[in-house]
Amino acid sequence: MNRRTFLAVSGTTTVGVVAGCLGGNSDATAANEFDYELNPTPSGVDVPLVPVEDAYEWYKNDEAKFVDARTRTQYDERRIKGAVFSPAADAGDIEDDPVEEWSTDTRVVTYCACPHHLSSQRAASLIDAGYEHTYAIDQGLGGWINGGYPLEGSAIDAEWELYEIDGTTDSEYAGEMVRLDQIGENRVEVAPIQDDGSYTLQLHYAGSTDSQFKVEAPDYTVEGTLAELTDGTLSG
């Protein structure tokens, strides 16, 4: 199996695990040479969470390559300068993944904005594919922006706001993911369900407040504007 096929299979496996049962059987582990906090993922791979300050040190010293794990729309609007588009399974797919051209010895840093759920998915699939020196930024893109670190994109000067959507579902779904989609647009965020059934979706957004979004939990779906979805706690 060549690397392109192997990466594609890893991504497909992640989709199945997120949508259904937890606890994959992967034996892959990250090198975690700096003993960072580990974030467990549904595929069974623990992903090291690198503090944003350390990620920036690697960035300015050219000691790592950066991967944006979000959708193409989000990548085009605002991203870490020089980062490549290589989305998590929940965020989309691409025909020619630039990561496939990198040596598996490369130090890879993934990121998203939720703050590290999509990036941990992508990091887990890369670790599973042999990229052992892979990390996700703990504070996500928001931490990078707050640090004043280099950005590029079509909307970096827009007025961005952070929206948080709180919800609850049955605790039997703890560990599974809740998904937020902008209807008619390529914009996705995800968040894990906690042990008590609660969850919080985070969205950095600069578009129209009249836009419609959809929240998909394992046992219900809710649609509405961000104002409606952030007014109280969502439930089935």
Side-chain angles (χ1 to χ4, degrees), residues 31-37 48 135:
N32 196 15
E33 57 204 299
F34 301 97
D35 197 28
Y36 291 134
E37 177 186 354
Y135 303 80

Side-chain angles (χ1 to χ4, degrees), residues 14-15 18 39 41-43 47 69 88-91 110 116-126 177 190:
T14 303
V15 171
V18 169
N39 185 42
T41 66
S43 64
V47 173
D90 274 4
T110 65
H116 53 240
H117 306 310
L118 287 172
S119 59
S120 289
Q121 282 187 31
R122 187 66 188 111
S125 65
L126 289 172
M177 292 289 179
V190 299

Side-chain angles (χ1 to χ4, degrees), residues 8 12 85 87-89 91-97:
T12 303
F85 175 63
D93 195 10
I94 55 176
E95 293 183 3
D96 296 312
D97 191 334

Side-chain angles (χ1 to χ4, degrees), residues 5 10 14 53 59 72 127 129 132 137 144 150 174 177 203 226:
T5 304
S10 297
T14 303
E53 298 85 0
Y59 176 90
R72 171 65 75 175
I127 292 166
E132 296 180 358
I137 297 180
W144 187 272
M177 292 289 179
L203 174 69
L226 290 174

Side-chain angles (χ1 to χ4, degrees), residues 160-173:
W160 294 82
E161 290 190 43
L162 173 62
Y163 295 86
E164 292 192 344
I165 299 171
D166 294 317
T168 186
T169 184
D170 196 295
S171 59
E172 71 174 285
Y173 299 115

Side-chain angles (χ1 to χ4, degrees), residues 106-232:
T106 302
R107 180 185 289 160
V108 180
V109 176
T110 65
Y111 69 90
C112 60
C114 48
H116 53 240
H117 306 310
L118 287 172
S119 59
S120 289
Q121 282 187 31
R122 187 66 188 111
S125 65
L126 289 172
I127 292 166
D128 198 38
Y131 293 82
E132 296 180 358
H133 302 282
T134 298
Y135 303 80
I137 297 180
D138 191 5
Q139 301 93 332
L141 183 60
W144 187 272
I145 293 167
N146 291 338
Y149 304 143
L151 296 168
E152 61 184 359
S154 63
I156 58 174
D157 295 325
E159 298 205 7
W160 294 82
E161 290 190 43
L162 173 62
Y163 295 86
E164 292 192 344
I165 299 171
D166 294 317
T168 186
T169 184
D170 196 295
S171 59
E172 71 174 285
Y173 299 115
E176 295 190 41
M177 292 289 179
V178 177
R179 177 180 173 120
L180 173 70
D181 286 89
Q182 184 177 2
I183 296 174
E185 297 289 340
N186 185 19
R187 194 182 309 277
V188 173
E189 299 292 355
V190 299
I193 298 169
Q194 303 301 316
D195 290 343
D196 63 355
S198 66
Y199 61 85
T200 298
L201 286 155
Q202 293 188 348
L203 174 69
H204 293 263
Y205 183 64
S208 170
T209 56
D210 294 328
S211 297
Q212 292 287 310
F213 289 81
K214 177 174 63 175
V215 174
E216 289 186 275
D219 55 343
Y220 64 85
T221 299
V222 179
E223 295 185 8
T225 65
L226 290 174
E228 293 168 339
L229 295 175
T230 56
D231 183 21

